[in-house]
Amino acid sequence: MAMAGRWDRLKELNRKLSALGALLEDETISSMPEWVQFQTTYVCNLECPHCSTHGTEERRREYNYERKGMDRELLSDVAAKSLPAADEVTLSVSGEPLATPGLEKLLDEFEPYGAKLNLVTNGTTLSPQRLSYLIPIAGHIKVSLDGATPTVLETTRKGARWTSVLQKVRLLMRTIELLPAGFERPRVQISAVAMASNLRELPWLIRLAKVLGIKTVGVAPIIVHFDHLADEVLDKHQAFYNACREEAVEVARVLNVHLFLPPAFSDVQPDPTAVPRGGKLMIPDLPDDYYETVPPLDSAFDAEEIEEQARRTVQMITARLSKDDSRGAQAIDHAAAVEALAEAKVESVLASNSERLARMDEESGEEVKYCAFLHRRAYVSETGVVTPCCTLGRPTLGKIGEDGDLAQIWNGGDYTEFRRRFYSDDPVDCCKGCWYARYIPRRRLLDRVFGVTAAGEV
């Protein structure tokens, strides 16, 4: 574990190079992705009806096929060359990452690189053993829950059991709470998809977060992939969404939970009586007295059992971290050599652009076009295909092996052209209207260059 910190300076230098490339719009400033996302598996143990890869029996047969996962040799090679410079790593974006074959061994392999795991999980397979590997490497854990109450959770997350999943999520939180002072604790949030069938759950998700000890809830609007769910889109329920959103915001304020929601529909009066019923919905109807009969949220888990398991998990974590992890002088020498090259590169770019950067500093409040995906993230498929994001219509920008390694692709011609077009009046089609393409104060990028901010989104 001691080796992880050895890469901190390289990661900082890489963030500076990435910000300089965006500030100066200079593609000759080579860097590495700050966040690498590996498609390690497509397998998922749930059958969420709205999921594009597992929402129907036909899709599940196609994607629950383990050999579609990433070749381990390819994964290890790309990780070794990219994660020392990266701040974050994600396993799988189209399956359950905890279904990755050999997960614990893989996490043990990744840990010395110091890239924090950004995990999106359904939470159903968390256990003390698994948590003892996940928590030390995790920086951010998002638990996908599209419902807080039994019927809604078990319908929208088909295959999950209300009591079981909440027991495991509370175990995660209690373990984090019991970690020794000075231990870097991962941030945890509930992530939900807002749809007609669960809009009344929005305030309940806030209450559930409070009960579980989670401080953040993030909600995104549904993207409908199947005609039989066509009526789930929020556009068809604007007045009711606004009403549920209004209530959720108030509950979050009272309970001091951070809440991120799609904006309210403008010029639409909230109407709490416009409950979606019938039609092409996951849950066509709920009994009128459903929310009056919902059991207390904390009745889903056994606090005494969780306490015993959490204390045991903390013991497992501290035992693992106490082991001497000397991965060899050769690795340390390599880190020093790579760091020295990056240091020289940063100094050179700063020296040759000092006047321009000084002018930018004087106009630091000005907003500049920016996309975190283009300058921070890279997606690597199970076959080594590299894409810039997960947006529909995204282009392929290279394939590891055929077009070099990830560094060569990241700094190569196709990526360079893609970024150039992003800043032009004629961006690639998938960038047009994309909400990730935004304008940010130039100061945010300058702060990265001059060491004011740490890892994370700009």
Side-chain angles (χ1 to χ4, degrees), residues 33 35-37 39 93 373-374 376-381 384-391 393-400 406 409-410 415 418-419 430:
W35 184 348
V36 185
Q37 309 201 31
Q39 186 59 51
V93 291
F373 288 90
L374 281 183
R376 294 194 64 241
R377 306 187 194 181
Y379 285 69
V380 184
S381 80
V385 169
V386 179
T387 56
C389 59
C390 57
T391 304
R394 63 194 180 277
T396 293
L397 298 177
K399 184 173 183 180
I400 292 170
L406 183 56
I409 294 170
W410 179 255
Y415 246 116
F418 190 66
R419 294 188 186 105
C430 68

Side-chain angles (χ1 to χ4, degrees), residues 2-38:
M3 268 298 295
R6 185 62 191 85
W7 300 104
D8 287 352
R9 179 56 177 163
L10 177 61
K11 296 176 191 297
E12 180 186 356
L13 292 166
N14 188 57
R15 289 194 293 273
K16 290 177 184 289
L17 289 167
S18 174
L20 283 165
L23 269 172
L24 301 169
E25 296 181 26
D26 183 351
E27 291 303 327
T28 66
I29 301 174
S30 59
S31 63
M32 286 292 289
E34 297 175 47
W35 184 348
V36 185
Q37 309 201 31
F38 295 112

Side-chain angles (χ1 to χ4, degrees), residues 387-443:
T387 56
C389 59
C390 57
T391 304
L392 293 175
R394 63 194 180 277
T396 293
L397 298 177
K399 184 173 183 180
I400 292 170
E402 293 180 7
D403 301 302
D405 59 19
L406 183 56
Q408 291 168 314
I409 294 170
W410 179 255
N411 297 294
D414 287 349
Y415 246 116
T416 297
E417 176 62 12
F418 190 66
R419 294 188 186 105
R420 186 197 66 76
R421 285 192 61 183
F422 174 76
Y423 290 109
S424 76
D425 294 330
D426 182 32
V428 174
D429 286 345
C430 68
C431 297
K432 296 173 181 175
C434 177
W435 73 288
Y436 288 109
R438 56 201 173 101
Y439 283 82
I440 64 169
R442 181 179 276 137
R443 168 53 54 194

Side-chain angles (χ1 to χ4, degrees), residues 68 98 146 166 215 247 260:
K68 283 179 71 73
L98 300 188
D146 294 332
L166 297 193
K215 297 180 179 180
E247 183 182 354
F260 300 92

Side-chain angles (χ1 to χ4, degrees), residues 145-149 190-193 198 200-210 217 219 257 297:
L145 299 173
D146 294 332
T149 64
I190 290 175
S191 289
V193 173
N198 70 355
R200 281 180 288 181
E201 295 283 290
L202 293 180
W204 286 85
L205 283 166
I206 312 305
R207 299 181 187 111
L208 177 62
K210 189 70 175 180
V217 175
V219 181
V257 172
L297 297 178

Side-chain angles (χ1 to χ4, degrees), residues 62 98 187 242 314 415:
E62 178 184 354
L98 300 188
R187 294 170 291 137
N242 282 0
V314 170
Y415 246 116

